[in-house]
Amino acid sequence: MELLILCITIFLARISDVTLGTVRTIFMVNGRKFAAASLGFVEVLIWFTVVRTALQFENPSFFIALAYAAGFACGNLFGGFISERVIRDKYSVKVVTSSRDQLIIDQLRENNYAVTVSECFGRNNDKKWMLFLEIQNHRLKELKALIYALDEKAFVTVNKSKAVYKGFFGLVK
């Protein structure tokens, strides 16, 4: 019974510290150094406690290693889920339309997307538009669906923005 309790404790603790580690890494990449340092402190404190407890257990068991590894794997999953839902990143989206259709621009703007339009030419010198958008990460799925509903041949690229200054973000939530 003692082994089972230890394995469950290790599993849950690893989920916690690895989840914190995933979020900490994203904070650091996004330039939030103090938040990352604070999470790192708690993460390592949990990790140290778990390792110390696992190594001091009187009857070594392969189940301890399994609990440790399973907690690590689940922590990565949870950290990814939390990051997607909690951390508000911004994306730069570029769309090359298959043709010049004003409806695409109008529909994007009606759905509260700020769109900057530039004339461009395709491979065969056919006239197209390149649309530039900056969006919050939680709107990406919605934007992609709208774009492909309006132009199923559109070419779309998405990049994470490190910083965005001024523009449409202050006007619409």
Side-chain angles (χ1 to χ4, degrees):
M1 187 61 165
E2 190 179 352
L3 177 61
L4 177 63
I5 292 170
L6 176 63
C7 287
I8 291 170
T9 302
I10 288 172
F11 176 74
L12 295 174
R14 285 301 285 162
I15 287 175
S16 300
D17 85 275
V18 174
T19 298
L20 289 174
T22 303
V23 174
R24 174 190 48 81
T25 301
I26 293 168
F27 277 176
M28 190 62 122
V29 168
N30 288 343
R32 297 179 63 189
K33 296 177 205 71
F34 293 109
S38 300
L39 288 177
F41 177 83
V42 175
E43 172 194 356
V44 170
L45 190 61
I46 293 169
W47 179 85
F48 179 80
T49 304
V50 167
V51 170
R52 184 179 52 105
T53 303
L55 293 176
Q56 288 179 344
F57 190 66
E58 295 169 5
N59 299 320
S61 171
F62 184 67
F63 291 113
I64 294 172
L66 283 177
Y68 192 88
F72 180 84
C74 290
N76 278 297
L77 275 175
F78 291 173
F81 289 138
I82 288 171
S83 296
E84 288 174 356
R85 284 160 184 73
V86 173
I87 297 174
R88 294 294 181 206
D89 287 327
K90 293 178 180 60
Y91 292 144
S92 292
V93 180
K94 287 182 270 186
V95 179
V96 177
T97 62
S98 61
S99 64
R100 291 189 188 186
D101 184 353
Q102 185 64 38
L103 178 65
I104 295 169
I105 297 165
D106 294 341
Q107 286 293 309
L108 289 169
R109 288 180 176 157
E110 283 178 26
N111 283 279
N112 286 326
Y113 291 103
V115 183
T116 301
V117 183
S118 181
E119 181 178 59
C120 64
F121 299 91
R123 181 178 181 179
N124 298 321
N125 218 20
D126 46 334
K127 293 181 179 184
K128 299 178 183 228
W129 277 329
M130 182 174 289
L131 313 177
F132 298 91
L133 302 95
E134 282 291 327
I135 63 167
Q136 297 283 347
N137 61 339
H138 68 278
R139 295 197 72 193
L140 180 60
K141 188 176 180 180
E142 168 193 316
L143 175 62
K144 281 178 22 183
L146 180 58
I147 288 169
Y148 287 125
L150 297 166
D151 183 357
E152 63 185 27
K153 294 180 183 178
F155 176 70
V156 178
T157 61
V158 179
N159 293 297
K160 191 172 176 179
S161 299
K162 181 150 178 108
V164 176
Y165 303 102
K166 302 207 180 197
F168 195 66
F169 279 108
L171 304 174
V172 175
K173 300 244 179 200

